[in-house]
Amino acid sequence: GAVVSQHPSRVICKSGTSVKIECRSLDFQATTMFWYRQFPKQSLMLMATSNEGSKATYEQGVEKDKFLINHASLTLSTLTVTSAHPEDSSFYICSAREPGQADEQYFGPGTRLTVT
Amino acid sequence: AQTVTQSQPEMSVQEAETVTLSCTYDTSESNYYLFWYKQPPSRQMILVIRQEAYKQQNATENRFSVNFQKAAKSFSLKISDSQLGDTAMYFCAFRRPGTYKYIFGTGTRLKVLA
């Protein structure tokens, strides 16, 4: 099946700094990618939908200026957490939709962000 | 708005036994998709099974099957012949046609005991 990778798998950053997380579709072109956040022992919450070549669509309550999303190519979307604070510590998961495979998304392995 | 409820935070089952995980949802749509995803300790989300609401036949994938009750808005997952590798968090999810937004339940942590 289709493979989605994320980098890094774990990152620790200091409060006030920014951190970038990459999501790549390895063997298919993804016109749409999705970013989720998962708190410990909780479900996945959709943060935003990233469309190649256009602005991301953010879910209600998600700060677009804090969570910058760029989908510059058909195989790469990035999530930048700007001016990170300890409350941004979480597990971030991306998924990608393969064109033509209308009802299936492939998930990346996730990135654990810890802000100290 | 659609909601997905998983009322069993944790469950355990003996190896080789059968276990059923519950999921209910709320929607006014007549057509939609339902999914069960598995998240093992590695945290990689894996699609277990998918059901299209307009199909009356319950989906089956090897040891995994669902009991889809559309009128009751229930979508339970049955795992037969449980294996140690089935230990994971299981999420039920809902998706409307024409959108790619998943609504996930809160998950059920399943532990298979040797």
Side-chain angles (χ1 to χ4, degrees):
Chain A
V3 179
V4 175
S5 70
Q6 280 184 243
H7 178 80
S9 57
R10 292 175 180 266
V11 59
I12 301 173
C13 71
K14 292 186 177 181
S15 187
T17 62
S18 296
V19 60
K20 181 185 289 187
I21 302 169
E22 293 184 348
C23 176
R24 294 183 185 271
S25 56
L26 297 185
D27 50 3
F28 67 99
Q29 293 184 327
T31 54
T32 307
M33 291 184 172
F34 307 86
W35 287 96
Y36 295 84
R37 183 172 180 176
Q38 186 179 26
F39 289 103
K41 298 185 179 181
Q42 294 190 28
S43 188
L44 283 72
M45 299 299 294
L46 180 65
M47 298 174 65
T49 301
S50 169
N51 295 299
E52 188 267 336
S54 64
K55 289 184 178 181
T57 302
Y58 290 81
E59 294 299 303
Q60 191 173 7
V62 177
E63 299 176 60
K64 62 180 66 176
D65 294 332
K66 180 166 190 61
F67 298 100
L68 300 180
I69 292 172
N70 185 285
H71 194 154
S73 78
L74 287 171
T75 58
L76 173 65
S77 176
T78 60
L79 168 68
T80 301
V81 183
T82 63
S83 187
H85 290 282
E87 57 265 31
D88 298 325
S89 298
S90 190
F91 194 69
Y92 292 88
I93 301 174
C94 74
S95 69
R97 183 181 76 87
E98 183 177 15
Q101 304 297 319
D103 59 350
E104 189 145 359
Q105 292 181 25
Y106 302 96
F107 286 84
T111 296
R112 178 166 301 286
L113 169 64
T114 303
V115 184
T116 60
Chain B
Q2 291 83 13
T3 58
V4 177
T5 302
Q6 293 178 250
S7 59
Q8 306 151 313
E10 294 185 1
M11 295 188 72
S12 62
V13 62
Q14 289 294 135
E15 195 175 8
E17 296 292 309
T18 296
V19 64
T20 299
L21 309 183
S22 300
C23 173
T24 59
Y25 57 94
D26 187 24
T27 183
S28 58
E29 306 279 342
S30 59
N31 193 23
Y32 44 86
Y33 299 98
L34 295 165
F35 306 83
W36 277 98
Y37 276 90
K38 169 184 177 181
Q39 188 180 42
S42 67
R43 305 299 292 272
Q44 175 76 59
M45 294 284 284
I46 302 166
L47 177 64
V48 175
I49 202 164
R50 173 178 61 211
Q51 175 81 41
E52 295 161 0
Y54 64 86
K55 291 185 177 179
Q56 293 186 341
Q57 186 172 6
N58 289 326
T60 299
E61 287 288 340
N62 301 314
R63 298 182 294 107
F64 299 89
S65 61
V66 298
N67 183 4
F68 174 48
Q69 301 289 328
K70 190 172 184 179
K73 297 180 181 175
S74 170
F75 182 61
S76 60
L77 174 70
K78 185 171 83 171
I79 305 174
S80 304
D81 186 25
S82 297
Q83 299 175 359
L84 296 178
D86 296 333
T87 292
M89 193 77 165
Y90 287 82
F91 290 101
C92 178
F94 171 99
R95 186 176 73 82
R96 285 167 45 212
T99 76
Y100 306 105
K101 178 179 177 179
Y102 283 68
I103 299 170
F104 286 92
T106 51
T108 295
R109 186 171 302 279
L110 175 68
K111 188 170 185 178
V112 179
L113 307 171

